[in-house]
Amino acid sequence: MPTTALTPDALDAQAARLHDTDAWQQIVTGWDRTAPDPTASPAPAPADWRALLSVPVDRLVADAVRALPAAAPRERPLPGRIGAMLPDRLHAWRRIGRPDVPPSVHLAHAREILTAWGWQNTPYRLRDVRGARCVCGAMLTAHRLGYGSAETVDRAGAWMIAELRSRGWTGLIGPWNRYPGRTAADALTLIDATIARAARAGQ
């Protein structure tokens, strides 16, 4: 996919193009095929489960504790209200040394931005004068703050379009965001549902 300057409209268009590819449709329509069947009967339990163990329980616990990953590094807090109003390019230093994240994690950071800085639906605006973002604007800001690569933003947008399609919305994210009567609660609900959809697919 060619690199395009990241703007809300460009993100919308790129996510839609990705969503419509055959490869992505296989991901979107197949993520639930490997999930366990909730109606399946559980396997019968043995008479004594301890008979299945080849080592003592305390050793199993100790091995499991040793195998746990190290604690995650402390997340940098979002810039304050003045930071919300500054151009996103001034936050570029926060990307230094940051690893990529899955789309669901990227969307969680976008949700935090909407919650902390506010949501807005002014047509064709990344944000308003107070620093509030639209849904696409929050995703772009999360990327510029270091949470996910440009490709991750595209994949997150494609998952959001998949969620919108499941709700009967056939347009892009931007028109959904500025549709008359749309609320901040609607935007957060959409992001939450998209996070769950992507996470269930391992993304």
Side-chain angles (χ1 to χ4, degrees):
M1 183 177 295
T3 302
T4 305
L6 284 177
T7 64
D9 290 337
L11 164 61
D12 229 347
Q14 288 176 192
R17 283 195 296 272
L18 176 60
H19 177 270
D20 292 339
T21 62
D22 291 339
W24 190 262
Q25 283 304 307
Q26 289 177 7
I27 293 172
V28 171
T29 58
W31 65 264
D32 55 346
R33 293 179 188 161
T34 57
D37 183 358
T39 62
S41 301
D48 184 1
W49 59 268
R50 292 175 185 80
L52 299 175
L53 299 178
S54 58
V55 294
V57 173
D58 56 348
R59 182 173 158 195
L60 288 173
V61 172
D63 289 346
V65 169
R66 279 195 299 274
L68 289 174
R74 183 175 176 273
E75 290 291 347
R76 295 172 180 156
L78 281 177
R81 176 54 57 190
I82 292 178
M85 293 184 285
L86 291 174
D88 283 349
R89 65 179 179 276
L90 298 183
H91 300 301
W93 65 270
R94 295 171 67 97
R95 294 196 56 77
I96 298 172
R98 302 288 293 188
D100 201 1
V101 297
S104 57
V105 174
H106 167 81
L107 286 164
H109 287 289
R111 186 191 198 284
E112 182 183 5
I113 289 165
L114 287 184
T115 303
W117 291 353
W119 169 83
Q120 62 90 25
N121 62 350
T122 304
Y124 308 107
R125 292 289 300 276
L126 174 69
R127 62 184 176 196
D128 64 15
V129 293
R130 297 176 298 107
R133 265 64 171 177
C134 62
V135 172
C136 286
M139 293 167 66
L140 292 179
T141 298
H143 159 68
R144 289 164 180 168
L145 290 175
Y147 302 114
S149 64
E151 292 76 18
T152 298
V153 181
D154 286 346
R155 296 201 314 274
W159 279 114
M160 185 165 290
I161 287 175
E163 178 61 28
L164 288 173
R165 296 291 184 272
S166 75
R167 296 166 178 231
W169 182 265
T170 58
L172 299 178
I173 302 167
W176 180 91
N177 186 86
R178 55 182 176 263
Y179 191 78
R182 196 71 69 204
T183 66
D186 294 336
L188 294 178
T189 299
L190 173 64
I191 290 184
D192 288 340
T194 307
I195 289 170
R197 180 180 288 268
R200 286 195 298 268
Q203 295 195 24

